[in-house]
Amino acid sequence: MIRHSRLARPLLAIALGAGLAAPAMAAERELLNSSYDVARELFAAINPEFIAHWKETQGEEIAIQQSHGGSSAQARSILQGLRADVVTFNQVTDVQVLADDGLVAEDWQQALPNNASPYYSTTAFLVRKGNPKGIDGWEDLDDEGVEIVFPNPKTSGNGRYTYLAAWGFAEHQFDGDEEQIQAFMRDFLGNVVVFDTGGRGATTSFIERGIGDVLISFESEVNNIRGEYGSDDYEVIVPPVSILAEFPVAVVEENAERNGNQELARAYLEYLYAEETQRLLAGFNYRVHDEAVVEEFAEQFPETELLKVEEVFGGWDAAMETHFASGGLLDQLQRR
């Protein structure tokens, strides 16, 4: 790994921060949350609640800024100088790269419950009205003439989950026969008509540009899209086999200390586990851990077999090296 000089980071922070959302109010302290691409609306709802909570419990007015993009791109921005206090990502490796560089504590996954993942999701499909291509599961996505849209696995955790979910299905379907698995994946990837850099770009391609027969994204994202753009115009399909998509969070210790936000940053992440926040998360179609909220929203989330990266691929390090590294299986399979 290339390690970036600590001295270089402050020089880049102004340029990298130029695209951030403006704070909601003038305040003595500001917290910066670096998050994944499709979480804009989610944190636009969470942040005012936390601001009010902090004001009530601590008597201090604060502001929260957001930075969004593909989670891997966000991690690189922090390595290059973005002074985020916390990260709320969608893949463990994008937090771990910060821990490897000394910005996040080595034991960050033990700092909060559920391996520092306050909520989770899986991969699902969004199809157009009437499901004209008859897409019911992964087995339909390698058919000739099916056009697929999902984010690029090279730049997006969302995209990596989609790729691994498809591979996990194929491994299950073909009893581990490597030749058949790779044949399925080659056809599946060959049907991708747009590889956007992040989940929101993929949504734009599918919804606003009208590209593709199926959008593959987080279950939360496709349900939120359907709710926003019309339940009569789109259908959501949760395949019987998919993948567990965790959403890890961590304090960027070096930045939070430098910004005087250590206590605030920890409290912000802990707030994601509060029952009222878990209920808000479920309202945005994320699966949560709070038992009362799980029971309350049980009918909203179809049962599906959630494959774990650790069990199917030997963990994220192995998956990254085997599938997503330069010259890895993803690259090989795209050479038709």
Side-chain angles (χ1 to χ4, degrees):
M1 176 196 301
I2 298 174
R3 294 182 181 272
H4 300 269
S5 166
R6 297 288 193 270
L7 295 176
R9 292 188 174 113
L11 299 177
L12 294 167
I14 294 175
L16 290 167
L20 302 178
M25 65 183 74
E28 291 185 6
R29 281 206 290 172
E30 294 177 357
L31 182 83
L32 175 55
N33 174 17
S34 172
S35 196
Y36 54 98
D37 198 31
V38 298
R40 290 173 173 84
E41 294 80 7
L42 173 65
F43 285 103
I46 289 176
N47 289 345
E49 298 296 325
F50 178 75
I51 289 169
H53 166 77
W54 189 259
K55 172 67 173 177
E56 181 181 351
T57 59
Q58 305 298 319
E60 180 187 11
E61 288 192 353
I62 60 167
I64 300 173
Q65 291 190 3
Q66 290 291 138
S67 177
H68 293 283
S71 60
S72 297
Q74 288 289 288
R76 286 194 297 273
S77 292
I78 293 171
L79 289 171
Q80 294 170 353
L82 182 66
R83 289 178 60 167
D85 299 286
V86 298
V87 292
T88 54
F89 285 166
N90 59 25
Q91 191 185 316
V92 169
T93 55
D94 292 326
V95 183
Q96 189 58 46
V97 72
L98 302 179
D100 292 342
D101 205 63
L103 290 167
V104 167
E106 291 182 6
D107 61 348
W108 65 271
Q109 283 189 288
Q110 285 72 56
L112 292 163
N114 306 116
N115 293 321
S117 178
Y119 54 100
Y120 65 102
S121 190
T122 188
T123 298
F125 310 152
L126 187 72
V127 298
R128 304 188 191 280
K129 182 179 181 179
N131 192 7
K133 293 295 176 73
I135 297 167
D136 295 316
W138 296 102
E139 66 274 10
D140 301 313
L141 297 184
D142 66 337
D143 292 349
E144 186 176 352
V146 173
E147 295 187 343
I148 302 170
V149 176
F150 73 90
N152 191 338
K154 290 284 190 176
T155 57
S156 167
N158 189 334
R160 284 191 284 276
Y161 277 120
T162 292
Y163 171 98
L164 294 178
W167 184 286
F169 157 79
E171 187 166 287
H172 185 273
Q173 180 82 355
F174 302 119
D175 294 322
D177 186 301
E178 193 75 15
E179 185 174 340
Q180 292 188 75
I181 294 169
Q182 291 200 23
F184 169 83
M185 291 299 296
R186 192 172 290 109
D187 291 339
F188 168 72
L189 292 168
N191 283 345
V192 177
V193 290
V194 175
F195 258 151
D196 286 288
T197 58
R200 188 47 51 87
T203 296
T204 298
S205 292
F206 185 75
I207 298 293
E208 297 183 9
R209 298 172 63 196
I211 297 174
D213 303 303
V214 54
L215 170 69
I216 311 177
S217 190
F218 292 125
E219 177 188 40
S220 51
E221 171 75 349
V222 296
N223 275 293
N224 291 336
I225 294 167
R226 184 170 183 257
E228 179 178 354
Y229 288 93
S231 57
D232 293 335
D233 295 326
Y234 300 95
E235 298 176 24
V236 171
I237 298 163
V238 179
V241 176
S242 198
I243 198 161
L244 172 65
E246 295 182 297
F247 290 78
V249 302
V251 176
V252 186
E253 301 286 351
E254 181 177 296
N255 290 346
E257 181 178 5
R258 183 168 52 183
N259 297 337
N261 284 341
Q262 285 179 297
E263 179 186 2
L264 177 62
R266 283 192 293 271
Y268 180 76
L269 297 184
E270 290 169 357
Y271 187 73
L272 299 177
Y273 290 86
E275 182 176 332
E276 61 269 27
T277 314
Q278 293 272 289
R279 186 169 288 106
L280 189 155
L281 285 158
F284 274 83
N285 297 296
Y286 288 97
R287 301 183 183 225
V288 297
H289 302 285
D290 185 276
E291 292 182 3
V293 180
V294 168
E295 183 176 351
E296 181 180 338
F297 286 82
E299 294 185 1
Q300 184 171 308
F301 299 101
E303 289 189 13
T304 180
E305 181 182 356
L306 297 182
L307 306 173
K308 295 183 178 179
V309 172
E310 293 75 15
E311 295 174 356
V312 180
F313 302 97
W316 274 110
D317 287 345
M320 293 296 290
E321 181 177 353
T322 301
H323 293 273
F324 306 119
S326 181
L329 279 171
L330 172 61
D331 289 341
Q332 296 173 36
L333 292 166
Q334 289 182 295
R335 301 186 193 117
R336 295 178 64 86

